[in-house]
Amino acid sequence: MADRHSSSRSYLVGALVARTGDDMAGPALLLAALALTGSAAGASSLLAAVTVSAAIGGPVLGALLDRSPRPGRLLAGALVLYAAGLAVVLGGLGRVPVAVTLLVAAVTGLLDRISSGRAVGRPRTAPDRPGRPTAPANALDAMTFGVAGLAGPALAGGVAEAVGAPTAVVVSAVLIAAAAPAAWRLPPVSGPVLASVSGPPAMSRAAPLTRVVASGVRAIAGSRSLARATLTSVLSCAAQGMMTACLPLLGERAVGGAGFGAALLSCAALSALLANAVLARYPHAVAPDTVLWAAPLLQAAALGLAAAGGPVALVVAVGVVGLAEGPQLTALFAVRHREAPEGLRTQVFTTGASLKITGFAVGAAVAGPLAGRSLTGALLVAAGTAALAVPAWFALRPGGRPARTTARA
């Protein structure tokens, strides 16, 4: 029992450190690229390259973890390689051709989701025992995402302002690598690996990787309820990617410091946590389906406010974006749990997350060149993208309840 608790504590500490480093890495890379190259388009392209490849790597590496008898070893290796990749990207900024840096960033991003634990949930470190549910540990694991979402961007902005944006990238890489020993010490898995807190694995370890990954796509495409929830969240994430790419320039415009803009991501994370806390207190106040289409309207209004300029308006706008983002994510999870076939729930979650990551990356890539020409124009395009989620939601009105099927191993 002591070994089990020690392993769980070690994992949670390691997960918090890795996720903080990961949440710090994106803003830090954005700030470093802007500082070393002076190009908003180049900086947003770098963020997009790291992000979009994570959409590919997440489901594949998550499936590999499902199959591995020692997932901790795979996780530790991913952490070290991801940290090394960030260092290589930083070393190439302003020194090697942009195409080479983007290629290295894309390869590094393949390890992003698994290294931060976003492709998978809490690994099963010991068999479940009757009367000792894993829910408390899962809740603690989920809390590390909230803490990391607050600490990572704040650290990126603070370190960048204090000692320079390149140092912020170094700190994020060190944090990610520091979690490797905790991952390595995870014990072997005697039973199926818990690939997500959302449900059991759908496929046996013998199933081809392509089948495992494609099953999530088929499940979403085959359900209008899942399809419209996914499309709405992808459009919202695209708008978030646009806002993130604009934040350093917004910080410079508002207070003369790019790090201030990146640190505002912590403000969004805090307001998201507060909004979810209220919804947890009143779980039946608003239906998840209503939240999914109403949240983008709030997001669009906030992005329009950010375009108005001024430090106060910027802080309020980013906070309102978090108020929309937090409940929307919770509502999205509720719809996935409700609509996904039991045996495919894990694949629906990982595939949906990858599609959202892709939307974020596309938004970031588009916003950079736009912001270079007109920062206000880029924010208005982001607001319009978020608003598009509403007609998309109602255009895919389901004709009936999806059939419940269980995947065959």
Side-chain angles (χ1 to χ4, degrees), residues 36-375:
L36 295 176
T37 68
S39 169
S44 64
S45 296
L46 181 64
L47 178 63
V50 171
T51 306
V52 74
S53 58
I56 302 171
V60 174
L61 291 172
L64 289 175
L65 272 186
D66 279 353
R67 299 156 177 260
S68 175
R70 298 298 302 255
R73 303 287 175 88
L74 178 59
L75 193 60
L79 288 164
V80 172
L81 290 175
Y82 182 43
L86 291 175
V88 173
V89 170
L90 176 63
L93 285 174
R95 296 184 178 89
V96 301
V98 174
V100 175
T101 304
L102 293 178
L103 178 61
V104 175
V107 173
T108 300
L110 290 171
L111 300 168
D112 180 9
R113 297 296 97 179
I114 192 173
S115 66
S116 64
R118 298 182 191 279
V120 294
R122 181 180 59 86
R124 181 175 292 166
T125 57
D128 293 337
R129 295 177 57 184
R132 295 187 179 272
T134 60
N138 284 338
L140 288 172
D141 186 40
M143 287 175 61
T144 65
F145 285 109
V147 174
L150 289 169
L155 277 174
V159 173
E161 288 296 308
V163 292
T167 305
V169 179
V170 173
V171 172
S172 69
V174 169
L175 287 173
I176 291 167
W184 184 271
R185 289 194 297 269
L186 287 175
V189 177
S190 57
V193 177
L194 187 61
S196 168
V197 295
S198 61
M203 303 286 179
S204 71
R205 292 182 181 178
L209 280 177
T210 53
R211 181 184 169 195
V212 174
V213 174
S215 63
V217 177
R218 290 195 300 269
I220 292 173
S223 166
R224 290 175 72 89
S225 294
L226 287 174
R228 70 174 184 168
T230 300
L231 179 57
T232 301
S233 66
V234 168
L235 288 170
S236 294
C237 266
Q240 291 166 21
M242 293 180 184
M243 183 193 74
T244 301
C246 292
L247 279 177
L249 296 178
L250 285 169
E252 288 183 344
R253 187 175 77 175
V255 300
F260 171 75
L264 282 178
L265 289 171
S266 295
C267 179
L270 177 60
S271 60
L273 283 174
L274 292 176
N276 278 338
V278 172
L279 285 181
R281 179 68 177 83
Y282 304 100
H284 303 297
V286 186
D289 299 87
T290 302
V291 173
L292 277 173
W293 67 261
L297 285 179
L298 189 59
Q299 182 185 19
L303 290 167
L305 178 61
V312 175
L314 178 58
V315 172
V316 172
V318 174
V320 173
V321 167
L323 290 178
E325 178 185 347
Q328 187 189 46
L329 181 61
T330 300
L332 178 64
F333 284 178
V335 171
R336 285 176 181 167
H337 276 291
R338 186 188 72 202
E339 303 292 343
E342 186 67 28
L344 290 174
R345 190 167 292 146
T346 292
Q347 281 68 44
V348 167
F349 268 76
T350 56
T351 302
S354 292
L355 291 172
K356 288 181 62 180
I357 294 166
T358 302
F360 182 97
V362 171
V366 170
L370 288 176
R373 295 179 176 87
S374 171
L375 187 53

